[in-house]
Amino acid sequence: MRLLNILLGHTVVFGVAILVSSSCGVNYPPTAFRCSPGASGDTCPTESGSVYQCCSDDPAALLLSNLGATVTPDYQGRGGDGTPLFSGGNNPLSKSGMCVKVGSVPPALALADINAQGCPVPCNPNWGSGDLADVCGAGTICCQTTELEPEDCVLDLDMGDNGCYRPVTGTDIMGTGSSTNLTNWGGTKHKTHQDPSGTNCEVFVQGLPPSVLSSNNISSADVLRACYHRLTVADQRGFCLGGGPGVFCPLAQPNYRDACEQLNDQAFLQGCD
């Protein structure tokens, strides 16, 4: 129920999600409007003649000319520098998304990229105002689409006074040049992790022509490692939404404590905020 409760709190700004969750005639579970764009078959409902598409909410991107750079995705007609890994044209590679009614997203907030036309624009709730304006547009906000779960948290002993729980990222994956080695990113290791086991990172790399690798002086192993390091859990995934008076993201409110922060509270860990 964690996802349902949060999205019900987005009624003003997340009408798309509420529309999907309330219009399903079949007996879907509470999280039925979550979907996997890369799953085979129909992953979204068709109700009363309406059609829904499964849209990735993951803005992770790579700049092939500088694999170590943290970049925003270069969607068609928008700002950004990097190739989207799991959204836009690579929407089918994502394991994380939402069912969205076709035609329901205003053009100013919709993607024009092949494989994701009409989808909301994915964004990272942690972006600064400049990145947000470049990708989402002026006067917008980025709302996280689902909550972290306790399984998405790792204990980082280098944080706080005696360690702190924080959201896991791809830079924690063992055997990828990680300095922490806190996860194997396996299929059931976490709850909201993108691309469990890294199989679609491999697909992304396999799709790069040898000429692209050579022109950027990189190897397929370099790109695969960089892709692993861009993997995230729910705290770095969201959709661009129109801002304005009274419009806010519930998970960004000062009194909200995510799953990792709650673990810190429960363990009385100090120096974590």
Side-chain angles (χ1 to χ4, degrees):
M1 294 295 290
R2 292 167 64 86
L3 173 64
L4 178 62
N5 291 338
I6 286 301
L7 289 182
L8 288 177
H10 281 74
T11 303
V12 175
V13 295
F14 223 112
V16 172
I18 303 306
L19 176 64
V20 174
S21 67
S22 62
S23 64
C24 300
V26 294
N27 186 27
Y28 280 87
T31 58
F33 38 81
R34 292 296 303 175
C35 60
S36 173
S40 59
D42 295 330
T43 58
C44 293
T46 299
E47 173 72 9
S48 302
S50 297
V51 178
Y52 297 85
Q53 59 184 332
C54 187
C55 297
S56 173
D57 56 1
D58 190 339
L62 276 183
L63 185 62
L64 295 179
S65 61
N66 185 359
L67 292 177
T70 300
V71 295
T72 52
D74 182 13
Y75 298 126
Q76 184 174 325
R78 297 179 179 274
D81 300 307
T83 301
L85 291 169
F86 305 107
S87 58
N90 284 322
N91 190 74
L93 296 184
S94 181
K95 300 289 187 181
S96 174
M98 296 189 71
C99 292
V100 177
K101 185 178 179 181
V102 173
S104 65
V105 182
L109 294 173
L111 290 176
D113 304 61
I114 189 172
N115 292 329
Q117 290 179 332
C119 283
V121 178
C123 57
N124 187 329
N126 301 301
W127 281 347
S129 57
D131 289 339
L132 183 64
D134 285 345
V135 177
C136 298
T140 57
I141 59 176
C142 178
C143 280
Q144 188 174 323
T145 51
T146 188
E147 288 187 284
L148 288 168
E149 298 287 348
E151 294 86 348
D152 297 323
C153 307
V154 290
L155 182 61
D156 189 334
L157 296 178
D158 291 330
M159 294 180 63
D161 296 344
N162 293 291
C164 297
Y165 287 97
R166 61 163 173 81
V168 68
T169 73
T171 57
D172 294 312
I173 299 175
M174 303 170 185
T176 65
S178 169
S179 61
T180 58
N181 295 310
L182 294 174
T183 178
N184 63 12
W185 211 260
T188 59
K189 181 67 174 178
H190 308 292
K191 283 289 188 179
T192 69
H193 54 323
Q194 174 66 276
D195 194 19
S197 301
T199 54
N200 281 344
C201 273
E202 295 176 2
V203 173
F204 175 83
V205 173
Q206 291 166 4
L208 294 175
S211 59
V212 171
L213 297 175
S214 60
S215 65
N216 287 283
N217 196 29
I218 53 178
S219 68
S220 57
D222 294 331
V223 181
L224 184 60
R225 185 183 307 109
C227 184
Y228 289 157
H229 286 178
R230 297 303 183 280
L231 297 175
T232 63
V233 287
D235 68 308
Q236 296 193 53
R237 300 199 292 268
F239 284 138
C240 302
L241 303 167
V247 179
F248 63 91
C249 301
L251 301 190
Q253 297 309 294
N255 61 348
Y256 175 75
R257 304 290 285 173
D258 67 32
C260 302
E261 292 169 328
Q262 291 180 45
L263 288 175
N264 290 329
D265 295 341
Q266 293 163 13
F268 300 102
L269 298 178
Q270 302 298 311
C272 297
D273 290 334

